[in-house]
Amino acid sequence: MHTFLFLLCIILALVCGTYGIAVRAIGSGTAFFAVWFVLAVFFICVAIGIHFNLWKMFPDILKKGIVIIFAGCLASFLIIEGLIISQMHVAGPDNLYYLIVLGAQVYKNGPSPVLKFRLDKAYEYLSANPETRCIVTGGQGSNEPFTEASCMADYLVKRGIDSGRIILEDKSTTTAQNLTNSMKLISADTINHALDSNTTNTVGILTNDFHMFRAMQIARAQKIPNAYGISCGSTKVYLPNNMFREYFAEIKFLLKQLTKHFQ
């Protein structure tokens, strides 16, 4: 059994390290790839502990504490990932009045692969629903040559979407700000065009499959009425990285909501 566990940890360390290198080489737009190297080091340390039978040296209370923490982390991971998976294919209804496309990394030559999935889905929806107005979101990050919103608008216009249907929200830097600022623009747009607010409060929130669950949680936390998720795909090689990253983002979101509850 010890030999099996030792070899398993070595294999997991190699897999994590190799995957981290692959994600870094392709360019994910974030530094989260480093987590895979941390995991690789962790599994190497565990393998060393197994090889030298260090577990027996730990006091019983420490062993119990480690087991409880590990079990809690594993349970929370499985629950959150299950919830993420449950929302990965939501489609939303046709003829929504507004479609909010959440922002993501942009490069000098255009949208990142993750953002391109969102924009291609937005183009598909807007083409099938010609009355839907589109809000593209995202400001300019320190590693971006221009705002995400302007890049998204250019991409959609070049594909044939009327620029008059596109509203730019170019100040936000987080998903929460994407939604908050977009709802302000919707209110202003409704007033400026003398639209009936009772018919313009159906909103689609478009993002990648791995991000859909948390995006809708944020929408509910902001009490956005009649919000529907519209999910698009994502690059398969990034999916484990993105889903793992979402686990930590979800923990952060839940802690923030808990803090607000007790304030």
Side-chain angles (χ1 to χ4, degrees), residues 3 11 23 61 80-81 99 132 153 175 204 207 223 239 247 263:
T3 301
I11 291 170
V23 174
I61 189 170
I80 289 173
E81 293 298 334
L99 179 67
T132 300
T175 299
T207 190
K223 296 181 172 56
L239 193 55
Y247 168 73
Q263 283 180 345

Side-chain angles (χ1 to χ4, degrees), residues 67-90:
V67 170
I68 290 171
I69 292 172
F70 177 79
C73 290
L74 180 61
S76 68
F77 179 79
L78 293 175
I79 291 170
I80 289 173
E81 293 298 334
L83 292 170
I84 291 171
I85 291 170
S86 73
Q87 297 296 304
M88 290 181 76
H89 302 289
V90 293

Side-chain angles (χ1 to χ4, degrees), residues 166-258:
I166 301 173
I167 303 169
L168 275 69
E169 185 288 294
D170 57 3
K171 304 299 181 186
S172 59
T173 58
T174 66
T175 299
Q177 290 175 7
N178 286 166
L179 295 176
T180 298
N181 294 345
S182 292
M183 293 309 295
K184 292 177 181 177
L185 290 175
I186 286 175
S187 296
D189 188 61
T190 299
I191 294 170
N192 290 340
H193 291 85
L195 301 173
D196 183 354
S197 61
N198 292 322
T199 63
T200 61
N201 63 354
T202 54
V203 177
I205 298 172
L206 195 159
T207 190
N208 301 94
D209 45 15
F210 61 85
H211 187 228
M212 192 78 258
F213 174 71
R214 187 164 59 89
M216 293 308 295
Q217 271 195 311
I218 294 171
R220 286 191 290 271
Q222 294 185 5
K223 296 181 172 56
I224 297 177
N226 300 323
Y228 298 90
I230 300 176
S231 175
C232 65
S234 59
T235 307
K236 299 306 178 187
V237 71
Y238 283 145
L239 193 55
N241 184 71
N242 288 330
M243 291 187 70
F244 195 31
R245 183 169 177 252
E246 278 299 303
Y247 168 73
F248 293 104
E250 177 64 17
I251 294 294
K252 180 180 178 181
F253 170 80
L254 292 175
L255 289 175
K256 186 179 290 187
Q257 293 303 113
L258 189 64

